[in-house]
Amino acid sequence: MSVRRGPSALLLAPAYDHGEYVSAESLGLRAVAAVLHQLGADVHVIDECPMPPPDAVRQFARDAVLVGVGVLFTRQTSDAIELVRWLRRDAPAAYYMIGGQGLQFLWEDVMRDCPELDSACMYEGDEVIAEVWSRLLSDRDDRGVKGLYVRDGAGVMSAGPRPPVARLDDLPFAYREPDAGAYRGGHATMSTSRGCAAHCTFCQSGNYANRYHELPRWRHRSARSVVDEIAYLHDVHGVDAVSIVDDDFLGGAGQGRDRAFEFADLLDRLPFRITYSIECRVDEIDEQILARLRSAGLRHLLIGIESATDPDIKLFGKRTTTAAVEDAIATLRRLNIDFSTGFIMFQPTSTLDGVAENLAFLARNRITNYRRLTNRLELYPGAPLLRFYERQGLALRADGYRVYYDFADDLVSHLYSGMRQVLAPYRQVETICESQRFEAARSHDEASDQRLALLRAYSDEISSSLVAAAVGGR
């Protein structure tokens, strides 16, 4: 007896640049997939689709009513367009839609450059895709759908943005395939909030979908909803480690403290134990709340430091100080919480003295790695810092929807190139060490804690060697 399925939808994302990003689930795609699944669609999600698309993906496209392509990083845009073009040639009958954070303010450009697209989704797609799906099944066109750019003769048009979802608890959990083998490593990612209350001038996340509506900039799911999804992931997929990938789990200025305490209490009532990681701001590193989260399974935390120089801290809108950062690092080490940091070593107007100050800070706090030492600022469409540099007369070049620049100081340019070359051999050993630290941090036993301490010592040795090599290269 055959299984009866509803009309199908294919949602896919281009493969990530693994030299820059760790691959992960496409939670934005899985959020809209959950909506379609709830509406009866037979959904297929491809997290990292290579080019050319595999035969199975091409068949999904031929059977699909709707093909959606998600763009998390701006640098994926060109690859996303190539996916659309390839699949449109092979499967012309479907409706082709593109969206995602990486397309911020590029919607019209992408629609213009890729006639194979039917529409581009602005901001959040949950309610947009539900309306588009309803129209496709009832043979109605897409004109007038708020939150969507569509074709208008030779041009494109939009009915304007759609307000984001106010109550995230009303949305279904992110779509997960019935095949539990997708999580045989026992690890999954989760989103528990949207938006960010911060004002970082360089960041796409903090400026994406946060400036056109009157809702709080940080919207969150309830602690009960989050723990219910964790229980589902554990019971159905065998997950025992969760990376919570919110831009800010604690919500800025402590808005999420009560939720965090409730979250920890609910985790303690589960009949099983999990470990998890979060992301938050430096000014939210509070010993009381983090000690409570640590006791409930918190093992890793990401904070964005970005710079140790006062001019760059101000330029990036970080609203913190180097002293506060060092206090936060000391607190995390005291609580035995493994952590990583975001850091921007180079920006267009960097100076040799500024780079030296950053190097000294990283060495003093033993948080150096190849990525932090060689990371240069990326300028995103829509980010305030891009407009600032434009006003300053910085020479900018656009190519493949990305913005490129040269350093104002030629000596900094030579230093940047030299450091990348000299430090490149450290990347492999770093990757191995960080992978082992991740595995050790997932466990609860004393032996794993001892192993993690040893791996941290190795990381410190690598960090010291990196700084010595970088200073020597300078």
Side-chain angles (χ1 to χ4, degrees):
M1 177 175 155
S2 62
V3 178
R4 187 175 181 181
R5 299 180 182 275
S8 70
L10 170 64
L11 303 175
L12 69 168
Y16 295 164
D17 177 355
H18 286 200
E20 298 291 340
Y21 302 102
V22 177
S23 62
E25 298 174 281
S26 302
L27 289 179
L29 283 179
R30 292 182 177 276
V32 296
V35 172
L36 291 175
H37 181 70
Q38 198 173 58
L39 293 173
D42 179 21
V43 183
H44 303 277
V45 179
I46 310 297
D47 285 311
E48 292 191 71
C49 186
M51 282 292 293
D55 290 343
V57 173
R58 294 166 62 189
Q59 187 58 55
F60 288 150
R62 294 187 198 107
D63 295 338
V65 173
L66 180 150
V67 175
V69 179
V71 182
L72 179 58
F73 306 113
T74 301
R75 64 180 62 201
Q76 291 178 291
T77 305
S78 296
D79 290 340
I81 287 176
E82 284 306 305
L83 270 176
V84 171
R85 288 173 175 159
W86 184 285
L87 292 174
R88 173 67 88 177
R89 287 193 298 268
D90 199 50
Y95 180 94
Y96 286 81
M97 184 178 184
I98 197 167
Q101 179 174 304
L103 286 182
Q104 183 177 208
F105 305 125
L106 294 173
W107 308 296
E108 289 183 87
D109 294 339
V110 167
M111 288 285 285
R112 179 197 64 222
D113 296 342
C114 184
E116 293 84 357
L117 279 166
D118 292 294
S119 66
C121 179
M122 305 163 61
Y123 307 120
E124 295 180 10
D126 314 87
E127 293 179 345
V128 174
I129 206 162
E131 184 173 349
V132 169
W133 183 253
S134 173
R135 290 182 179 225
L136 289 174
L137 296 188
S138 58
D139 293 323
R140 291 180 292 153
D141 67 34
D142 54 12
R143 287 172 176 266
V145 177
K146 283 192 175 295
L148 202 65
Y149 270 92
V150 300
R151 299 288 172 195
D152 178 30
V156 296
M157 63 173 290
S158 171
R162 180 187 295 259
V165 177
R167 277 182 44 86
L168 299 185
D169 279 10
D170 293 341
L171 296 173
F173 296 158
Y175 177 77
R176 316 281 179 171
E177 290 82 354
D179 177 17
Y183 302 96
R184 66 172 54 90
H187 173 256
T189 55
M190 276 183 63
S191 172
T192 79
S193 66
R194 293 182 182 179
C196 182
H199 301 269
C200 301
T201 58
F202 60 87
C203 183
Q204 203 169 34
S205 298
N207 294 286
Y208 179 75
N210 271 2
R211 303 294 187 261
Y212 74 96
H213 57 80
E214 296 180 357
L215 293 176
R217 289 182 175 177
W218 184 72
R219 289 162 290 134
H220 61 86
R221 295 165 56 188
S222 67
R224 168 55 63 189
S225 170
V226 175
V227 174
D228 283 349
E229 184 174 3
I230 288 174
Y232 162 77
L233 288 169
H234 177 273
D235 295 345
V236 176
H237 295 290
V239 168
D240 60 10
V242 175
S243 293
I244 297 175
V245 297
D246 305 2
D247 292 312
D248 186 358
F249 180 76
L250 294 175
Q255 296 176 56
R257 282 179 61 88
D258 289 343
R259 185 185 77 138
F261 278 116
E262 183 184 358
F263 171 69
D265 291 343
L266 291 172
L267 284 180
D268 282 346
R269 296 175 199 168
L270 292 174
F272 57 86
R273 294 281 289 172
I274 69 149
T275 57
Y276 61 97
S277 64
I278 64 172
E279 303 178 17
C280 71
R281 290 173 54 80
V282 167
D283 57 11
E284 294 169 330
I285 302 298
D286 173 88
E287 189 148 1
Q288 182 184 19
I289 182 59
L290 290 181
R292 180 67 188 96
L293 292 173
R294 174 69 171 80
S295 71
L298 176 65
R299 292 296 180 269
H300 187 272
L301 186 145
L302 170 65
I303 51 174
I305 297 173
E306 316 315 347
S307 180
T309 73
D310 289 340
D312 282 0
I313 291 172
K314 182 178 180 180
L315 179 69
F316 297 153
K318 292 304 297 181
R319 301 187 180 184
T320 187
T321 64
T322 300
V325 169
E326 294 186 316
D327 286 345
I329 289 171
T331 298
L332 292 170
R333 287 186 167 135
R334 191 162 55 247
L335 293 172
N336 194 28
I337 297 174
D338 205 35
F339 67 95
S340 54
T341 62
F343 202 84
I344 303 171
M345 178 65 77
F346 295 94
Q347 52 92 3
T349 57
S350 288
T351 64
L352 292 180
D353 287 344
V355 173
E357 191 173 347
N358 279 334
L359 277 170
F361 167 83
L362 294 174
R364 185 168 68 248
N365 290 282
R366 308 190 315 280
I367 55 172
T368 308
N369 66 12
Y370 175 85
R371 169 74 172 169
R372 290 177 202 119
L373 284 176
T374 61
N375 190 33
R376 66 182 284 166
L377 175 70
E378 182 158 2
L379 296 174
Y380 296 109
L385 198 51
L386 175 60
R387 297 192 293 274
F388 168 79
Y389 285 126
E390 288 173 339
R391 292 194 301 271
Q392 297 298 307
L394 180 70
L396 302 173
R397 305 182 303 280
D399 183 31
Y401 308 99
R402 295 178 62 186
V403 179
Y404 296 88
Y405 59 86
D406 295 321
F407 295 108
D409 187 333
D410 287 341
L411 292 176
V412 170
S413 181
H414 290 306
L415 175 62
Y416 170 75
S417 299
M419 284 174 61
R420 284 178 59 87
Q421 182 177 359
V422 168
L423 303 180
Y426 289 87
R427 296 184 72 173
Q428 185 175 4
V429 68
E430 263 187 1
T431 300
I432 294 170
C433 189
E434 288 175 1
S435 175
Q436 292 298 312
R437 281 176 63 173
F438 174 80
E439 289 300 322
R442 287 178 53 177
S443 302
H444 303 272
D445 54 74
E446 183 177 345
S448 293
D449 284 344
Q450 293 174 349
R451 183 162 171 259
L452 182 57
L454 180 62
L455 287 166
R456 285 174 179 155
Y458 288 153
S459 292
D460 287 348
E461 286 189 39
I462 295 170
S463 177
S464 298
S465 299
L466 274 164
V467 171
V471 172
R474 181 177 181 237

